[in-house]
Amino acid sequence: MKRDALQEIDKLAARMSELESLVRRCLEERPAKTIPASEPASGRTSEDLAGSATEPSESGGGTVYYSGRYEGKGRAFRWMPQERQMEGLLRLNTDKASKVLSALGHKQRLDILRAVVNEPLSGAALVERLNMGTTGQLYHHLKALLGADLLVQEPGGGYTLPGHRMLPLLLLLAALSDLIDTSDYMDMTEVRSNAGAYLGRGQGGYDTHILLWAVLENSVLEHRAGYCSEVHIFVHDDYMVTVADNGRGIPVRPIPSSNLSNVQSVLTDIAESSSHAPFVSPGAEKGLGIAVVNALSESLAVEIRREGKAYRQDYKQGIPQTELLAVGLTEATGTSVTFRPNRDLFGTGFERNRIEERASELAAAYPGLSVTVHGSAQD
């Protein structure tokens, strides 16, 4: 018996559409409620694909739907679907909202809440786990969290989250994980506002070549580690330059417990980049790492050849314009960085004579490293 696969797929799609309509109708007709924290988790929850489009709400202002399920060490919670009208969310009392955010905004208070999500902990256990040093410091924060109904103390003395606060806190942490990269972009704005700390005190515009020397230094470090033997510098006519090496390539795997790739972290984490910066410009207060180069560039593109694939990601003013994309297959390894310095900060463009001088200096210092300059620029 022959089966018509396309016809079966069409029937399945129609049934899924009917099911989706039924679920949406149930959500609209059922009043929101919360299952008590003591009720065990059971059943399955439905999830919408991130970024998928749905029909607009008839209310005009839009509606946010959410539900949740959590299972931890001996604890289980399940929340039925709930909804919040956008009009109400946008009319929130900002004075009270800011108080809630300030209660959560302190690092040690947030550490306390994270620590007790899975299990109740005593004051002594919290002090030891969070390395607070003194119980006095801990109880100052416990008092604020208890008063805000963000924490409760069990009869046995352990501190834990109230059941009705578990889902909101987890939703907040989930949202923060999606917004966490914005802190890096704020740091990049700070770099542009305080460029002199990284570039020295230039007059009539900073020296464009300082950024190039910083990128070159990363290839030199790969060579010193035994993984890079060739560096090619391509000087373009449009105030842009490319540095390509045959090193290992920046790691591309995602960072654990993060939505970021290792590449994006390397190119946006100013604090990490500066603390381990291989290059310090004359008169500068801070080291100049690749993330600082990214922040001080109008545009930057990184290409990585690693583990049989070629990857690419594009940035503008230090902010990613794309995800890290696999763009091809290759047996080669290495990293290529193409960037255009911010012309509001820097004076002249790249001078080939200076770049060739630098290449000669590197070749003399590292006989096993070949540095080749290509293209044309100002002489």
Side-chain angles (χ1 to χ4, degrees):
M1 176 180 178
K2 294 184 178 180
R3 298 176 61 182
D4 189 335
L6 293 178
Q7 186 178 15
E8 291 182 14
I9 291 174
D10 289 340
K11 289 181 180 179
L12 180 60
R15 291 177 182 176
M16 290 299 295
S17 179
E18 293 175 3
L19 180 60
E20 182 181 358
S21 299
L22 179 61
V23 170
R24 185 179 292 113
R25 194 179 311 122
C26 290
L27 289 174
E28 293 173 351
E29 295 174 356
R30 170 182 281 171
K33 65 177 182 177
T34 302
I35 287 185
S38 58
E39 182 170 334
S42 62
R44 299 177 62 86
T45 58
S46 62
E47 299 177 0
D48 288 332
L49 292 176
S52 63
T54 58
E55 296 179 4
S57 169
E58 296 180 359
S59 65
T63 307
V64 177
Y65 297 95
Y66 63 97
S67 62
R69 175 179 177 182
Y70 167 76
E71 295 183 28
K73 297 180 180 178
R75 314 179 75 195
F77 301 88
R78 183 167 65 91
W79 297 266
M80 295 300 292
Q82 301 184 54
E83 63 181 68
R84 294 289 184 271
Q85 297 298 323
M86 279 296 295
E87 293 177 359
L89 294 178
L90 297 178
R91 289 200 306 266
L92 278 176
N93 185 314
T94 52
D95 286 335
K96 291 185 177 181
S98 63
K99 288 181 180 179
V100 174
L101 293 176
S102 64
L104 292 170
H106 194 286
K107 179 183 181 303
Q108 290 181 321
R109 291 178 187 175
L110 195 55
D111 285 342
I112 292 169
L113 294 174
R114 290 192 310 166
V116 300
V117 164
N118 284 325
E119 58 182 336
L121 294 173
S122 66
L126 283 168
V127 169
E128 181 179 357
R129 182 170 297 190
L130 302 179
N131 298 316
M132 286 191 166
T134 64
T135 55
Q137 185 181 17
L138 170 69
Y139 287 116
H140 169 73
H141 298 305
L142 289 179
K143 183 178 179 180
L145 294 172
L146 289 166
D149 193 30
L150 293 169
L151 206 64
V152 293
Q153 188 172 17
E154 295 187 335
Y159 295 93
T160 188
L161 285 169
H164 65 289
R165 300 298 191 193
M166 179 72 79
L167 177 62
L169 181 65
L170 294 180
L171 288 175
L172 179 61
L173 292 176
L176 286 174
S177 70
D178 288 336
L179 294 171
I180 200 75
D181 56 346
T182 62
S183 66
D184 292 333
Y185 309 152
M186 294 177 194
D187 290 343
M188 291 196 156
T189 302
E190 289 285 331
V191 169
R192 289 192 290 275
S193 300
N194 190 29
Y198 299 90
L199 302 172
R201 301 299 170 184
Q203 295 181 352
Y206 298 105
D207 184 0
T208 312
H209 300 84
I210 292 176
L211 300 186
L212 176 56
W213 305 158
V215 176
L216 272 173
E217 200 67 26
N218 285 281
S219 298
V220 170
L221 287 179
E222 273 290 274
H223 170 70
R224 292 173 61 183
Y227 297 101
C228 173
S229 59
E230 295 181 10
V231 179
H232 295 269
I233 305 171
F234 298 87
V235 186
H236 310 291
D237 292 331
D238 53 353
Y239 206 71
M240 186 180 291
V241 68
T242 298
V243 177
D245 66 39
N246 65 343
R248 290 168 290 183
I250 301 172
V252 296
R253 294 182 180 179
I255 298 174
S257 304
S258 171
N259 294 327
L260 300 182
S261 66
N262 236 304
V263 175
Q264 186 167 323
S265 177
V266 167
L267 286 165
T268 58
D269 191 336
I270 297 294
E272 183 70 16
S273 174
S274 299
S275 62
H276 298 93
F279 179 80
V280 179
S281 57
E285 304 166 16
K286 302 179 181 180
L288 191 65
I290 189 67
V292 176
V293 173
N294 194 12
L296 297 176
S297 297
E298 291 179 6
S299 62
L300 182 146
V302 60
E303 297 181 8
I304 296 144
R305 300 167 295 281
R306 185 183 176 100
E307 299 169 0
K309 293 183 179 180
Y311 301 86
R312 179 186 172 100
Q313 188 171 27
D314 292 283
Y315 293 80
K316 183 177 181 180
Q317 301 285 10
I319 298 178
Q321 303 300 295
T322 65
E323 300 292 332
L324 179 65
L325 304 174
V327 295
L329 302 176
T330 179
E331 295 183 2
T333 63
T335 301
S336 299
V337 177
T338 300
F339 65 95
R340 178 185 286 116
N342 189 318
R343 278 170 277 199
D344 292 336
L345 291 172
F346 295 91
T348 60
F350 295 102
E351 300 175 9
R352 177 155 183 170
N353 288 344
R354 290 190 60 185
I355 298 173
E356 289 179 339
E357 289 175 8
R358 187 72 166 190
S360 298
E361 292 172 359
L362 290 173
Y366 304 99
L369 179 64
S370 170
V371 182
T372 308
V373 182
H374 308 266
S376 61
Q378 300 177 23
D379 293 326

